[in-house]
Amino acid sequence: MERYVIPSVMQALQLCKAIAESRSGLSASEIESALKLPRTSVFRLLRTLTSERVVEKRGTKYFYGTRIYEISAANSRSRYVQRIVAPALSKLITTINASAIICTLGDYCAFVIDVLDARQKQITTIRPGTKLPLFESAAGHVMLAYLPKYQNMDDSKHLANFDEKQAATLRATTCTRGFAVSHFAPRNVTLVAVPVFMRDGELVSILAIELEGMIHDVKVLQAWSAKLKDIARQPTTGAHPYEQDMQ
C-alpha cells in the first residue's frame, strides 16, 4: 500500500463501495468475506460508519444511510438553489399528477438531492440519492450540454462506454431546445429537465419534472420547460443571502 494511504480510511471506502454494489444490502459476515478483513475490523468500521449515518442497519443487513446523501449535497451553491426553488416547485405540482426533482452534479450522473411528489396513485421511484445517468436521463443530457467537463473529452478522461458521438447529438438537441427530455417506457413517464446557472455562468443544479405518459407533443414539452425555467432563474434574481455570504 502507498506510504501515505491510511489503511482504515481505505477499508471504510471499500466497505461503502461493497454496500453500494449490493441491491439488497450486506450482512456483517458478507462484508467480512467481501473485504477479506477480520471480524473485529469490520465491526469497528460498521460501528463508526453507522454512528455517522453513512451506513444504516436494517435487521441484519447494512445499507447506505442518509448521511451519504447529505454529504453529496453539501455544496453550498446546491443547497442554496434547493432552498430557493423547492417552494416554487412544490406549488407547480400541487394541481397535477407529477413529481418535481432537484439534482446536483455527480460523477457521470445527475445526483438527486430532493424529490417533491404530488401523485395520488403512483409515487415516483426516483428518490433522494438516485443517480440519473448521463445518456439515459434528461437531467444527464443537461450535464452533457452545459458542463465543460463532458465537452471535448479525450479517451483518457472518460469511461470506456462514453459515446462521444451520442453525447454530441444530445448536446445539440438540448442546447437547441433549451431543455432536455427523456422517456422511461417501463414506468410510462416523461422527464423534462432544465439547467440552473449562477450569475457567474456556472451550472450548479438541474430541475426536472416527471410527468405521466410518453409525451411527444413539442408544445406541451415547451410549456413545461418554460415553467421550470422561470423557477430556475430565481437563484440569480435579486440579492440573496448566498451571494452576500460569498462577498
Side-chain angles (χ1 to χ4, degrees):
M1 185 174 289
E2 202 267 329
R3 178 181 176 186
Y4 295 105
V5 171
I6 302 173
S8 59
V9 175
M10 183 64 69
Q11 291 165 359
L13 291 172
Q14 291 171 342
L15 187 153
C16 288
K17 183 174 184 292
I19 291 176
E21 291 175 347
S22 173
R23 293 185 178 182
S24 57
L26 293 175
S27 66
S29 60
E30 288 171 332
I31 294 171
E32 181 183 337
S33 176
L35 272 59
K36 295 180 172 57
L37 290 175
R39 182 167 300 179
T40 53
S41 297
V42 171
F43 174 77
R44 289 170 180 167
L45 288 169
L46 288 172
R47 282 294 296 270
T48 301
L49 293 171
T50 53
S51 70
E52 292 299 315
R53 295 183 291 114
V54 174
V55 168
E56 66 179 35
K57 188 177 183 181
R58 304 176 200 163
T60 61
K61 300 275 189 173
Y62 290 88
F63 298 81
Y64 261 164
T66 56
R67 182 64 175 161
I68 202 74
Y69 306 134
E70 294 169 12
I71 293 171
S72 299
N75 178 284
S76 58
R77 287 191 163 194
S78 294
R79 291 202 313 272
Y80 164 73
V81 169
Q82 182 182 13
R83 187 173 69 251
I84 294 297
V85 305
L89 283 174
S90 182
K91 184 177 179 180
L92 176 64
I93 64 171
T94 51
T95 58
I96 60 171
N97 200 28
S99 299
I101 300 160
I102 304 173
C103 301
T104 190
L105 313 178
D107 191 17
Y108 290 95
C109 69
F111 194 89
V112 178
I113 60 174
D114 200 2
V115 178
L116 305 167
D117 212 324
R119 301 183 186 209
Q120 299 297 319
K121 298 180 180 179
Q122 178 186 359
I123 297 176
T124 179
T125 57
I126 298 176
R127 309 313 305 163
T130 298
K131 296 178 180 179
L132 302 178
L134 287 180
F135 291 94
E136 288 79 31
S137 72
H141 300 173
V142 169
M143 291 177 62
L144 286 171
Y146 300 110
L147 199 60
K149 173 180 178 178
Y150 301 110
Q151 299 172 10
N152 302 314
M153 299 174 70
D154 61 52
D155 291 339
S156 65
K157 293 181 180 178
H158 58 62
L159 298 176
N161 61 353
F162 190 96
D163 188 333
E164 179 56 43
K165 185 175 180 179
Q166 184 184 4
T169 300
L170 292 172
R171 286 189 202 105
T173 302
T174 302
C175 290
T176 300
R177 288 173 169 171
F179 63 93
V181 178
S182 61
H183 305 288
F184 189 55
R187 288 211 325 275
N188 191 36
V189 294
T190 297
L191 194 69
V192 181
V194 301
V196 180
F197 299 103
M198 298 306 292
R199 287 184 176 179
D200 58 11
E202 180 190 0
L203 174 68
V204 294
S205 190
I206 301 161
L207 307 185
I209 188 165
E210 188 183 69
L211 303 163
E212 286 201 352
M214 307 296 279
I215 302 172
H216 298 280
D217 188 318
V218 175
K219 291 184 178 180
V220 173
L221 296 172
Q222 287 175 335
W224 281 113
S225 70
K227 294 176 182 179
L228 286 174
K229 287 177 184 178
D230 285 342
I231 297 173
R233 281 191 285 269
Q234 290 186 8
T236 61
T237 57
H240 292 301
Y242 169 82
E243 294 183 335
Q244 295 171 359
D245 293 342
M246 289 296 290
Q247 294 176 354

